[in-house]
Amino acid sequence: SAAPPGGEMVRAGHAFPTAGTLLFAELLSALGVVEASVAEIPNATSRSLGIQAPPHMAQVPNRPTILDTCVCTNPATQSGCYEPVCPAGYYRCCASCTESTCFGSVQMELSWRGIPECIPCAHGDYCPGCDTFETCPPNDRPGREGPRISAEKSKAISDCEACAIGQEADLDAALCVQRYSDQCNMP
């Protein structure tokens, strides 16, 4: 039988978890719930069941209700519909690569699938919620040219801020400082 979206396939009284519910099914099994469907526990999350991430690892915010519309394209292929695993404000470690170079080299938080793969969006970038990040567009207004700044975990292009006249983004794009690039050999 076909699995409901985000649910389990049930055959002859046995639950077979789909990829999206594998960890949840293991959790139910550990709690002694043998034959269960996700539908039997409405709005159940690891947090609502009292399960927490290990103390050394943070967990991203709860997953929102998924709409039927396709908002994201697959970052690896740039085509097709894609269901993100990290919330807005985060990007997935190597979402568009064939080999992961960031795994284990940066601090990551647990994704909605329970894997440490979500990285907080950096200063100067925004992460709209499709497991990728975008660099804030530079400002082209006269006297205010140059990179824009943004806070960590920025979610939208509107979170990118231009610096005032006479100021520019620091090298980390975290805050505006007095203009310095005209006094050094920066490109």
Side-chain angles (χ1 to χ4, degrees), residues 25-45:
E26 290 173 353
L27 168 67
L28 291 175
S29 177
L31 295 173
V33 180
V34 178
E35 294 182 18
S37 170
V38 174
E40 293 176 21
I41 307 174
N43 301 320
T45 65

Side-chain angles (χ1 to χ4, degrees), residues 165-176:
I165 294 176
Q167 292 188 327
E168 62 186 332
D170 69 348
L171 294 176
D172 295 325
L175 46 101
C176 294

Side-chain angles (χ1 to χ4, degrees), residues 52-54 57-61 85-87 108-118:
Q52 295 182 353
M57 185 174 296
Q59 186 171 351
V60 298
V85 298
C86 299
M108 291 183 258
E109 299 180 17
L110 293 178
S111 67
W112 289 323
R113 12 183 225 188
I115 300 170
E117 59 186 332
C118 296

Side-chain angles (χ1 to χ4, degrees), residues 70-84 130-132:
C70 181
V71 179
C72 303
T73 58
N74 187 324
T77 63
Q78 297 300 314
S79 64
C81 194
Y82 176 77
E83 186 176 336
C130 290
D131 289 348
T132 58

